[in-house]
Structures are given as C-alpha cells and as structure tokens.
Amino acid sequence: MIYVKKIYNQLNLLALKNKIKKNIFWCFIPAKLNSKTIKKKNLKKIGNFTLIERSIRVANKSNGFEKIICSSESLSIKKYCLNKCEFHLRRSNLSKKFTLVEDVIKNYLNEEMPSLLPEFIFLIEPTSPFIEVSHIKKLINLMKKSKTHKTGQTISRPPHTHLAFNQRSFDGKYVKFINKKRYKIRLKQKKPLSYIFGNICSIRTSHLLKNGKFFDQPSIGFEIPFKYSINIDDQVDIKIAKVFNSL
C-alpha cells in the first residue's frame, strides 16, 4: 500500500510539470523546532532576531520571491510567519533526523497542488543567519540567465587549515592525511583550493519533480566571504555567530 501511494504521489508531481511558469521564484524555509544538538534551535536569537525571523526577513527584503513557505512540524513556529509568509504544517514523519528537504518540498506540493509552479525554488535555512539580500538577488539573476544548470549555490573559501586537501582521518590511534598527495605538497601556495557551501541554494522545479536534489550537477554559483557562510550546528556556533553579528 505504501509503495502504491508513493507511485501515486510521484505521478501527481509529474503532472505538475505543465504548470511551471518561467522566471517565477519561490523560497522554501525548513524550520524544525528541535535539533539533536540544540533545543529549539531555530528560535535562538542572533542579535535582535531569532534564526527563523532572520530567514523570513531576508527572503521578504529581497523582493525576489512570488511565494515564501516556512515548513515546520510545530505550531509554535507559525506565529513568526503571520503576515510575513505562508506556514506549512508538515507531518511528524517528515521531521526526522534523516528527512531530506526535497521530500518535504514535494510533500508540500502534493498536499497543496498549486495552480502554477515556479521555475526555481530557493532553499533558505535558518541555520545560515548571515544571508544578504545581495546574495539572493545575484543567484536569482544567475539562474535566470542559465539555460542548462539544474541547481545553483553560493560557496565560500574556508581558512587554509580547513581546505579539503589538509583534512585528516583518525581511527582512534593513527592520524593520516585523507589525500596521500598531501605528504608531498607542503607549501601553502601549491595546495589546490577547495570551497565550502556558502549560505543559499536553488533548484529548477522541473528537476526537483524528477527526484532531483539540491547541488546536483551542473550547478552554477558564486563566492561569498567566509563570514557569511557560518552555519549554526551547536552552542559554539551560536557564540561565534553572536561575535560576528556584533562586528
């Protein structure tokens, strides 16, 4: 029965493909109440606003989205959405640790069955508290101009010691460089650059409806300064974010 329902839902999604309207953008904000590391994480304050408020505010300030949807399993998040964005009460089984945000978005589409769909859906996560309006506008423009890219994202250059080339493995006893070439390349200037995720990403709706994922290739993007890429995962991150916010 579960398998039949999945097939039915997928057929519904594929039928929505004909409703996609060009140059329309939606913003999806996933906002679970709790996380494994911080209780009520999305309600923690950085400066004068909670993490969820910061996401909703920057999405609205960008003036780039036809619709902004905040999705949570908790009604306590709803009050932050009133007169600011649409609130989606998701099922509890879509708020588990390993739930994919793509599945949450597709569930929303299946439940709402909108009369039209955007060409692109942006993902703004409350755990990225330093998103700038300029970041959103630039990625919107890149996605508009692109004919081939399935996804888009901002990226950031991490501190030198955090580069992928410098990473190590540890089995409880021995420490080793993951990349064996690292043993031969010692000078910083000769080490290959790598980037971390910045703070926002986007996906073509047509790709999402085919079970596509954020960050699928080909993906277009641009670099933002490291400070804007801070992601809130634990209490230490909150302290770091508060320091950056005060600068």
Side-chain angles (χ1 to χ4, degrees):
M1 186 66 183
I2 295 176
Y3 176 75
V4 172
K5 188 174 182 180
K6 284 184 177 179
I7 295 295
Y8 175 77
N9 287 341
Q10 187 59 36
L11 289 173
N12 276 345
L13 290 173
L14 290 174
L16 288 173
K17 186 178 178 181
N18 295 325
K19 298 181 179 181
I20 293 175
K21 188 173 181 180
K22 280 190 172 296
N23 293 326
I24 297 295
F25 291 78
W26 284 6
C27 172
F28 199 86
I29 303 174
K32 288 197 304 182
L33 180 62
N34 289 313
S35 75
K36 294 293 182 182
T37 54
I38 306 175
K39 187 177 180 181
K40 296 183 179 180
K41 179 166 66 174
N42 288 324
L43 299 184
K44 296 297 182 183
K45 275 192 172 183
I46 304 295
N48 296 325
F49 303 101
T50 63
L51 293 176
I52 184 62
E53 286 177 307
R54 293 177 78 96
S55 293
I56 295 171
R57 280 170 61 84
V58 75
N60 275 310
K61 282 184 177 180
S62 74
N63 291 319
F65 302 116
E66 189 84 11
K67 181 183 288 193
I68 301 169
I69 306 112
C70 178
S71 176
S72 178
E73 84 291 2
S74 173
L75 286 172
S76 62
I77 297 290
K78 186 175 182 178
K79 68 178 181 179
Y80 297 96
C81 303
L82 293 176
N83 301 318
K84 298 179 181 72
C85 66
E86 179 181 331
F87 175 74
H88 170 238
L89 182 64
R90 71 172 87 161
R91 300 195 304 264
S92 58
N93 68 317
L94 287 171
S95 295
K96 296 180 180 179
K97 183 178 180 180
F98 297 109
T99 298
L100 297 177
V101 69
E102 292 89 352
D103 291 336
V104 177
I105 297 174
K106 287 188 289 186
N107 173 254
Y108 166 81
L109 295 177
N110 256 320
E111 288 181 351
E112 298 297 319
M113 292 300 289
S115 57
L116 65 84
L117 289 181
E119 187 175 8
F120 305 97
I121 296 176
F122 271 53
L123 182 65
I124 289 184
E125 299 179 283
T127 50
S128 292
F130 297 119
I131 298 171
E132 296 278 298
V133 167
S134 60
H135 302 159
I136 296 173
K137 288 185 174 181
K138 187 169 183 177
L139 192 55
I140 283 177
N141 286 332
L142 284 176
M143 296 299 286
K144 271 185 179 180
K145 293 176 183 177
S146 170
K147 303 297 181 183
T148 58
H149 294 89
K150 295 176 180 176
T151 64
Q153 59 188 295
T154 55
I155 56 172
S156 182
R157 191 181 305 185
H160 169 254
T161 54
H162 294 185
L163 291 175
F165 196 67
N166 287 328
Q167 299 312 300
R168 297 150 170 86
S169 64
F170 180 54
D171 63 5
K173 185 177 181 181
Y174 296 105
V175 179
K176 299 178 181 179
F177 283 116
I178 295 174
N179 191 328
K180 292 181 180 179
K181 292 181 180 179
R182 174 62 178 81
Y183 291 101
K184 297 179 180 180
I185 301 177
R186 304 288 298 277
L187 294 176
K188 180 170 72 172
Q189 294 82 354
K190 293 188 176 182
K191 294 174 186 176
L193 282 177
S194 59
Y195 296 84
I196 59 174
F197 172 61
N199 52 21
I200 53 174
C201 56
S202 59
I203 189 170
R204 286 184 184 274
T205 305
S206 57
H207 183 60
L208 175 72
L209 296 179
K210 297 175 184 175
N211 288 324
K213 302 289 188 291
F214 286 99
F215 310 121
D216 279 353
Q217 296 296 309
S219 185
I220 198 169
F222 63 94
E223 185 180 349
I224 60 173
F226 176 71
K227 65 180 181 180
Y228 296 113
S229 69
I230 291 175
N231 187 272
I232 306 297
D233 188 54
D234 55 31
Q235 294 290 352
V236 173
D237 293 328
I238 289 180
K239 291 179 181 178
I240 292 172
K242 286 182 177 180
V243 171
F244 270 93
N245 191 65
S246 65
L247 296 177

